[in-house]
């Protein structure tokens, strides 16, 4: 016992070391718990919503080793910006496009500059609110978790001070490493990897944007000039019995184009609107709201799918009460019989596994299918609708008029029949005769090629045409209308008389094929897509 008492003087020193070790372990544990609580708080509260122009955006901050900013545009992809090097990643996700605000922006084009400034202010407001909300959530999360784990006010207060210091360091690092010029050098992800090819590089767009923004409001003035041109068209005056068809194509999501289309449709008392495709750019679900403008035209609307339009796009068009989607099918509207087929391709990003030869063959085959459909129709077809003019050649000599788009350039040609006309075997005995050559009318882009119209030095004009048909369903005249593209003020309207074809086409050979079985409808075909 005496020997044991000799070691007693050393026990206080060992106890003190143990207490210091416990305090250090407790402090380390306190720090770990505080950081974990902060991360939980940031995860739960580090996000907010903010109206940015016509968009509703979701903003969020998350811990990151590399910082940076990402702008997500579902379903197209995202832009990655090397905006800062701090340990916080800013994500901006454009969730939805508010229809009312979008209409207000388009309608009030004279106030576009103010809208642009407001969008920047709204983004700054959203980021500041997000930073404060994230800091508050992180602080609250740390103090709650520490309070639950240690059940002591002192430790909870210390945790709060630690988290405040950490958040201040993160904010300082972000501010010191912020790079405003990063907006000009984005990295594209998803379908947006094609954005530089579509809209040009960011510097060129930035250089021209001020001019574009200042002159966009003039498009509204352009439309009003259409009224003044009507009185200066003395060559041809259609009578009241004429059927007027408005041909549009390649809208490519340009919201300004709908105003022009509605103005022309109302001013000229259009009977039917014909759309030869590419109403959308990517064929995505969010783009479906764009086709809602169709119902406001209040006249029948005939549509064939373009290579930028998906099945989703076609379904959205079909839902419009005044719209008919033609896909190797025939319909009669206002006394005119139309046949149409959609483009067999879906290449919104201009990429495909198929070779160019395969794509060309697929388009030609779609024209051949439509030709067989027209030949089997008991009623003569007056107008055929395709997207790509390549599909028109098989229709030569079979249909008097073919309307197309795709090329973003106006052209009018006559097509010589170069393939045999094939009639069903149960048709009346054919009598070979020399038909007139088929008139092919390719429309320009009614949407000015959408964003692509900003890439060239001179933006593409908004192009559309009015076709006049007499009581015998013959095309007698047409008006070419062009409204200057973005930033341009010209408006032109040229009227042309359609004269009989003076060049005789070679008589096509005629052969027979078995009539379709009564158990299979001729309108049911295998998709070429």
């Amino acid at each position: 016992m005496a020997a044991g008492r000799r070691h007693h003087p050393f026990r206080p020193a060992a106890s003190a070391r143990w207490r210091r070790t416990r305090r250090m372990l407790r402090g380390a544990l306190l720090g770990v718990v505080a950081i974990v609580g902060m991360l939980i708080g940031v995860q739960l509260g580090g996000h907010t919503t903010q109206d940015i122009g016509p968009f509703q955006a979701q903003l969020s901050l998350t811990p990151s080793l590399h910082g940076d900013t990402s702008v997500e545009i579902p379903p197209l992809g995202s832009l990655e910006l090397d905006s800062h090097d701090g340990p916080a990643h800013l994500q901006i996700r454009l969730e939805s496009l508010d229809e009312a605000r979008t209409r207000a922006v388009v309608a009030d084009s004279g106030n576009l500059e103010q809208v642009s400034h407001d969008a920047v202010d709204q983004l700054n407001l959203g980021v500041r609110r997000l930073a404060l909300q994230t800091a508050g959530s992180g602080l609250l999360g740390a103090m709650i978790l520490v309070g639950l784990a240690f059940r002591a006010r002192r430790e909870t207060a210390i945790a709060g001070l630690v988290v405040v210091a950490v958040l201040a360091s993160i904010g300082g690092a972000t501010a010191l490493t912020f790079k405003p010029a990063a907006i000009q050098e984005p990295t594209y992800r998803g379908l947006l990897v094609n954005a530089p090819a579509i809209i040009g590089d960011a510097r060129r767009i930035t250089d021209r944007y001020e001019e574009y923004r200042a002159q966009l409001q003039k498009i509204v003035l352009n439309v009003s000039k259409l009224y003044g041109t009507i009185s200066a068209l003395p060559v041809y005056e259609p009578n009241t019995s004429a059927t007027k068809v408005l041909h549009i194509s390649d809208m490519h999501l340009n919201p300004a184009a709908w105003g022009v289309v509605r103005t022309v449709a109302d001013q000229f008392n259009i009977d039917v609107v014909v759309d030869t495709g590419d109403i959308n750019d990517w064929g995505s679900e969010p783009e479906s709201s764009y086709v809602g403008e169709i119902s406001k035209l209040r006249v029948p609307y005939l549509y064939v799918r373009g290579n930028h339009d998906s099945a989703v796009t076609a379904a959205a068009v079909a839902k419009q009460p005044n719209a008919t989607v033609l896909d190797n099918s025939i319909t009669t509207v206002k006394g005119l019989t139309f046949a149409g087929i959609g483009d067999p391709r879906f290449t919104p990003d201009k990429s495909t596994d198929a070779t160019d030869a395969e794509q060309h063959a697929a388009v030609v085959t779609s024209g051949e299918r439509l030709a067989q459909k027209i030949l089997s129709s008991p009623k003569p077809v007056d107008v055929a609708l395709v997207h790509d003019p390549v599909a028109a050649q098989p229709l030569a000599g079979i249909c008097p008029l073919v309307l197309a788009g795709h090329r973003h350039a106006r052209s009018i040609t006559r097509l010589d029949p170069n393939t045999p006309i094939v009639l069903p075997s149960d048709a009346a005995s054919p009598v070979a005769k020399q038909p007139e050559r088929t008139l092919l009318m390719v429309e320009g882009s009614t949407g000015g090629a959408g964003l692509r119209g900003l890439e060239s030095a001179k933006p593409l004009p908004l192009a559309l045409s009015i076709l006049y048909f007499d009581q015998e369903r013959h095309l007698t005249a047409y008006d070419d209308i062009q409204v200057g593209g973005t930033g341009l003020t010209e408006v032109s309207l040229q009227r042309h008389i359609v004269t009989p074809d003076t060049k005789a086409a070679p008589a096509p050979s005629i052969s027979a094929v078995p009539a379709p079985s009564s158990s299979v409808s001729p309108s049911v075909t295998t998709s070429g897509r």
Side-chain angles (χ1 to χ4, degrees):
M1 296 294 293
R5 291 192 187 97
R6 283 198 297 268
H7 293 284
H8 187 267
F10 297 99
R11 287 183 177 177
S15 178
R17 284 195 300 270
W18 172 241
R19 285 196 298 270
R20 285 195 299 271
T21 302
R22 286 187 61 190
R23 283 196 297 270
M24 291 175 62
L25 292 174
R26 186 178 178 85
L29 181 61
L30 173 64
V32 170
V33 174
I35 296 300
V36 170
M38 181 190 73
L39 294 176
I40 294 175
V42 168
Q43 188 68 28
L44 294 177
H47 51 82
T48 186
T49 57
Q50 174 67 44
D51 291 337
I52 301 176
F55 289 97
Q56 183 180 71
Q58 181 80 25
L59 281 66
S60 61
L61 276 174
T62 55
S64 169
L65 296 176
H66 306 291
D68 301 341
T69 298
S70 64
V71 182
E72 295 189 4
I73 312 174
L76 304 181
S78 64
L79 303 177
E80 305 291 338
L81 306 175
D82 184 19
S83 58
H84 61 280
D85 297 326
H89 177 75
L90 173 62
Q91 182 184 70
I92 304 171
R93 181 182 176 89
L94 303 183
E95 294 284 357
S96 61
L97 190 65
D98 185 88
E99 184 175 353
R101 292 201 301 272
T102 303
R103 292 183 188 281
V105 170
V106 173
D108 194 9
S109 58
N111 199 31
L112 188 59
E113 183 175 358
Q114 184 61 45
V115 172
S116 303
H117 288 306
D118 289 347
V120 174
D121 293 340
Q122 290 162 352
L123 178 59
N124 289 333
L125 175 64
V127 171
R128 287 196 297 269
R129 187 172 72 248
L130 174 65
L132 293 175
Q133 181 176 310
T134 303
S137 299
L139 178 61
L140 184 62
M143 296 180 70
I144 290 176
L145 190 60
V146 169
L148 292 174
F150 291 86
R151 300 184 181 278
R153 294 181 179 177
R154 181 172 177 272
E155 278 76 4
T156 303
I158 292 174
L161 293 175
V162 170
V163 170
V164 168
V166 171
L167 292 173
S169 300
I170 292 174
T174 301
L176 290 174
T177 59
F178 180 66
K179 292 168 278 190
I183 188 65
Q184 293 187 353
E185 298 178 350
T187 300
Y188 299 91
R189 307 292 185 194
L191 292 177
L192 286 179
V193 296
N194 299 282
I198 295 172
I199 64 173
D201 101 17
R203 291 185 180 86
R204 287 196 294 127
I205 294 297
T206 302
D207 293 341
R208 295 207 305 270
Y209 184 72
E210 290 302 320
E211 179 183 357
Y212 157 65
R213 185 171 60 180
Q215 295 185 7
L216 183 61
Q217 57 188 332
K218 296 179 182 177
I219 283 183
V220 177
L221 300 177
N222 291 340
V223 177
S224 66
K225 294 183 180 180
L226 290 173
Y227 302 121
T229 64
I230 299 172
S231 60
L233 302 171
V235 178
Y236 171 79
E237 287 296 333
N239 57 44
T240 56
S241 64
T243 302
K244 286 167 279 190
V245 176
L246 177 59
H247 181 199
I248 64 176
S249 191
D250 297 83
M251 299 278 278
H252 286 292
L253 284 177
N254 187 343
W258 282 122
V260 176
V261 171
R262 282 197 302 272
T263 298
V264 173
D266 293 341
Q267 181 67 23
F268 288 84
N269 295 316
I270 295 299
D271 297 300
V272 184
V273 176
V274 166
D275 183 347
T276 47
D278 277 1
I279 192 171
N280 279 174
D281 244 351
W282 301 93
S284 62
E285 183 68 38
E287 293 174 296
S288 297
S289 60
Y290 180 75
V291 309
E293 297 290 324
I294 292 174
S295 61
K296 298 180 181 179
L297 296 175
R298 300 188 301 276
V299 295
Y301 190 100
L302 305 182
Y303 161 86
V304 293
R305 190 180 62 252
N307 62 296
H308 282 257
D309 301 328
S310 66
V312 171
T313 304
V317 174
K319 289 180 181 178
Q320 305 307 309
N322 58 325
T324 300
V325 176
L326 295 176
D327 196 6
N328 204 28
S329 52
I330 298 174
T331 188
T332 299
V333 181
K334 299 293 183 179
L336 294 173
T337 300
F338 298 85
I341 192 167
D343 197 297
R345 304 161 298 180
F346 178 52
T347 55
D349 56 355
K350 298 183 180 180
S351 67
T352 178
D353 292 331
T355 65
D356 290 341
E358 289 173 335
Q359 290 188 52
H360 185 276
V363 175
V364 172
T365 299
S366 69
E368 292 171 347
R369 291 173 56 209
L370 184 60
Q372 291 296 324
K373 184 70 176 179
I374 293 172
L375 289 170
S376 64
S377 172
K379 182 181 292 188
V381 170
D382 304 304
V383 186
L385 312 179
V386 297
H387 177 64
D388 192 331
V390 170
Q393 187 58 56
L395 300 166
I398 294 175
C399 184
L401 175 63
V402 179
L403 303 181
H406 185 61
R407 293 177 178 170
H408 298 178
R410 190 78 165 105
S411 66
I412 300 175
T413 55
R414 296 273 185 181
L415 302 178
D416 291 326
N418 58 2
T419 57
I421 292 180
V422 182
L423 296 178
S425 59
D426 59 349
S429 298
V431 178
K433 63 178 182 179
Q434 282 189 300
E436 289 189 358
R437 295 178 299 165
T438 292
L439 182 64
L440 171 61
M441 304 181 74
V442 180
E443 188 56 86
S445 174
T446 308
L451 287 176
R452 297 163 185 79
L454 287 176
E455 189 176 24
S456 59
K458 184 176 181 179
L460 288 177
L462 312 186
L464 57 167
S465 301
I466 303 171
L467 315 180
Y468 298 92
F469 293 85
D470 62 18
Q471 289 182 316
E472 286 73 37
R473 309 191 310 280
H474 296 144
L475 179 66
T476 55
Y478 61 92
D479 294 338
D480 271 341
I481 301 173
Q482 290 195 351
V483 179
T486 302
L488 302 180
T489 58
E490 313 88 55
V491 175
S492 66
L493 194 157
Q494 292 181 310
R495 180 159 292 169
H496 306 270
I497 305 300
V498 177
T499 57
D501 186 15
T502 57
K503 180 181 177 181
S509 59
I510 302 177
S511 59
V513 296
S517 170
S518 60
S519 62
V520 181
S521 170
S523 63
V524 179
T525 59
T526 303
S527 174
R529 292 186 56 193

